[in-house]
Amino acid sequence: MTLAAAVASADHPGFLSPTGVEIIFLLVGVATLGAAVITVTTKQLVHAALWLIVALGGLAVEYLLLTAEFIAWVQVLIYVGSVVVLLLFGLMLTKAPIGRSPDTDSENRWVALVVAAAAAGSLVWVVADAFRTTWVDLHGPAQGSTEVSGESLFRHWVLPFEALSVLLLAALVGAVVLSRKNSREQQR
């Protein structure tokens, strides 16, 4: 171990001495993971949408703990406020079953579990490898301001946002068309 590495490691807290923010981050992460697992394993579609709200809200809390307030509010407004409401409207307009539905089980749970575990393992490995020597100072000033984050987001990512809005609008229009078609067939 070189002298520079020893000095650099002495400046940062160790892995076994977490701060309060790190403990809260871990607890919220575990709760978010639990909500995500319940979202994909429940057989009730409305309950899945409600657990999705909990999972996305947990992600917003994680962003707040990382001092990324702008991204946290974007998460709440766009995903929790818009996407989940659109999903619930789609469920209501298409007259999806409210209770348990045998149609929600595709009998491919083990294949999905293997694919999900492989994807999660790959993501954890890539992130751990990319940020192995990077330390985030949670007690210092925020690294990125809302102005810089917003400018970067809306300068470089406007087209994907607009494409997503058109996709969501098409889904809503499709749900309305399907619900009206079914009501007309029932009246005949």
Side-chain angles (χ1 to χ4, degrees), residues 82-98:
S82 301
V83 173
V84 175
V85 169
L86 181 66
L87 179 68
L88 288 172
F89 276 140
L91 288 173
M92 288 187 280
L93 289 174
T94 59
K95 298 178 184 166
I98 299 297

Side-chain angles (χ1 to χ4, degrees), residues 119-132:
S122 298
L123 286 173
V124 166
W125 179 74
V126 165
V127 169
D129 187 48
F131 297 105
R132 181 174 301 159

